[in-house]
Amino acid sequence: MDNKKIEKISRALSDANRIAILQQFKKRKDCLYCAEVNDLLDLTQPSVSHHLKQLVDADLLLSQKEGRNLKYVLNQQVLDEYIACLNELKS
Amino acid sequence: MDNKKIEKISRALSDANRIAILQQFKKRKDCLYCAEVNDLLDLTQPSVSHHLKQLVDADLLLSQKEGRNLKYVLNQQVLDEYIACLNELKS
DNA sequence: TAGATATATTTAAATATTTGAATGTTTCGA
DNA sequence: TCGAAACATTCAAATATTTAAATATATCTA
């Protein structure tokens, strides 16, 4: 994982709404639907869409279309790679 | 570690210059002097000062004054706590 | 003590991010 | 097929971040 990627993932994680989204996976279940995220956050639908896009663009979330709905799952592999890079910082 | 703190640390990590600073600790030694960071980055002194402040404010770096100089060390404990929070995201 | 060195702060400009209104696209169901 | 539902995109406004010039502060040294 190069520095550009570390930067992008860090930026995706640097917002309270996006952190809240990621934490829902642990609380609820292994996947989240777009509509559930809209209910979770106190934001309009376009804003939520924007935040989800940041997480998907950083590869922290994987999305899968199910008819009109959109299902998200946490990309544990990318999260692990990011964590590994942070561990590398330690001497 | 609360979400505000996770947000702040993530934001501190979301910049190429600041990532480069943190990586120098691994490359060189256990501490870095402010002047060395100024040499490392292709930025003016006030800009470097700003980036170092972001890292210190996020508690990722600890600073210690030595006369006119300023010595920085990596705060491994905070880094570990942050990593632990990221691991918690995994279900 | 005066001047130099190391770092911080203030200020302003450029750029990026966040947000929501309006609107677009896709898909479902009647 | 038509209207509704789910989600995305565009656009503009508000806010935040990054950067450097100018300047300030603290400390060392001659």
Side-chain angles (χ1 to χ4, degrees):
Chain A
M1 181 173 286
D2 64 7
N3 282 8
K4 272 289 166 208
K5 183 83 183 189
I6 296 174
E7 186 182 343
K8 187 156 197 171
I9 292 176
S10 300
R11 188 166 297 276
L13 291 169
S14 70
D15 178 275
N17 293 300
R18 294 193 291 265
I19 293 169
I21 293 171
L22 295 177
Q23 286 171 339
Q24 280 299 309
F25 286 92
K26 173 101 180 188
K27 276 191 186 168
R28 293 201 190 182
K29 49 209 167 192
D30 57 339
C31 75
L32 262 184
Y33 284 87
C34 186
E36 294 177 299
V37 181
N38 274 288
D39 291 343
L40 172 68
L41 302 181
D42 193 24
L43 289 174
T44 59
Q45 179 267 321
S47 293
V48 175
S49 186
H50 162 75
H51 287 301
L52 285 167
K53 185 168 163 39
Q54 304 299 109
L55 292 169
V56 170
D57 286 354
D59 295 319
L60 285 168
L61 292 187
L62 299 171
S63 67
Q64 192 179 344
K65 224 177 168 191
E66 285 188 355
R68 280 181 296 188
N69 303 320
L70 201 43
K71 187 169 86 171
Y72 292 100
V73 295
L74 195 62
N75 191 343
Q76 298 217 9
Q77 188 186 330
V78 164
L79 193 52
D80 278 333
E81 282 171 28
Y82 178 68
I83 290 170
C85 286
L86 296 181
N87 269 312
E88 276 297 307
L89 292 176
K90 296 190 289 179
S91 44
Chain B
M1 181 173 287
D2 65 6
N3 281 9
K4 272 290 166 208
K5 183 84 183 185
I6 297 175
E7 186 182 342
K8 187 156 196 170
I9 292 176
S10 299
R11 187 166 298 275
L13 292 170
S14 71
D15 178 274
N17 293 300
R18 295 193 291 266
I19 292 169
I21 293 171
L22 295 177
Q23 287 171 337
Q24 280 298 308
F25 286 93
K26 173 99 181 189
K27 276 191 188 169
R28 292 203 193 181
K29 47 210 168 190
D30 58 339
C31 75
L32 260 184
Y33 284 87
C34 186
E36 294 178 300
V37 181
N38 274 287
D39 291 342
L40 172 68
L41 302 180
D42 193 22
L43 288 174
T44 60
Q45 178 267 322
S47 293
V48 175
S49 186
H50 161 76
H51 287 301
L52 285 168
K53 186 168 163 37
Q54 305 296 110
L55 292 169
V56 170
D57 286 354
D59 295 319
L60 285 169
L61 292 187
L62 300 170
S63 67
Q64 192 179 345
K65 222 175 169 191
E66 286 188 355
R68 280 181 296 189
N69 304 320
L70 202 42
K71 187 169 86 172
Y72 292 100
V73 295
L74 196 63
N75 191 343
Q76 297 216 8
Q77 188 185 330
V78 165
L79 193 53
D80 279 331
E81 282 171 31
Y82 178 67
I83 289 169
C85 286
L86 296 181
N87 269 311
E88 275 299 306
L89 292 175
K90 297 190 289 179
S91 44

